């Protein structure tokens, strides 16, 4: 019985470790997409009425996805890769963060 409780605790923690980053990522993406959509609709209201521009719901999603794809493409470049290596090096020297950051990188 005790062994089964240990497995349940371990499985719960493993599930939590997997679920929390996914939930946070989805929450942040939803927040960014909604804010981008509302900002674009606000800017749309100042567009001159003489020039017809149809409303495009979901433009925030398209814009956020485009930015994320461009960021992903940038990380492939040598310059950005070197900058990320420098950033990782600096973070590995900061007290308290140096204990947590390498573990987060391995996840």
């Amino acid at each position: 019985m005790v062994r089964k409780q240990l497995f349940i605790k371990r499985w719960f923690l493993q599930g939590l470790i997997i679920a929390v980053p996914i939930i946070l990522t989805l929450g942040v993406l939803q927040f960014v997409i909604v804010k981008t959509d509302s900002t674009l609709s606000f800017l749309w209201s100042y567009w001159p009425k003489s020039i017809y521009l149809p409303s495009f719901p979901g433009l925030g999603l398209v814009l956020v996805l485009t930015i994320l794809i461009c960021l992903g493409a940038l990380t492939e470049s040598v310059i950005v890769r070197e900058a990320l290596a420098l950033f990782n090096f600096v973070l590995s020297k900061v007290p308290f963060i140096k204990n947590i950051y390498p573990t987060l990188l391995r996840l």
Side-chain angles (χ1 to χ4, degrees):
M1 185 68 175
V2 173
R3 188 163 169 82
K4 197 175 234 182
Q5 287 176 342
L6 290 175
F7 278 120
I8 291 174
K9 285 180 185 178
R10 190 172 79 203
W11 292 339
F12 174 75
L13 289 175
Q14 287 174 345
L16 201 60
I17 289 171
I18 296 298
V20 168
I22 293 171
I23 292 169
L24 288 175
T25 300
L26 291 175
V28 167
L29 276 176
Q30 192 247 354
F31 175 78
V32 168
I33 290 168
V34 167
K35 285 298 180 185
T36 305
D37 265 343
S38 66
T39 302
L40 290 174
S41 67
F42 174 72
L43 294 176
W44 235 252
S45 66
Y46 287 103
W47 192 262
K49 301 296 180 206
S50 60
I51 302 173
Y52 175 71
L53 191 59
S55 175
F56 184 51
L59 186 60
L61 174 65
V62 172
L63 188 62
V64 168
L65 288 177
T66 303
I67 290 170
L68 287 175
I69 289 171
C70 289
L71 282 174
L74 275 175
T75 58
E76 292 289 319
S77 72
V78 175
I79 295 170
V80 173
R81 196 175 310 138
E82 291 298 320
L84 284 174
L86 177 65
F87 178 74
N88 289 337
F89 175 75
V90 168
L91 280 184
S92 69
K93 300 298 180 191
V94 176
F96 182 70
I97 293 177
K98 70 180 175 185
N99 299 330
I100 299 170
Y101 190 67
T103 307
L104 292 176
L105 280 179
R106 281 187 247 131
L107 293 176

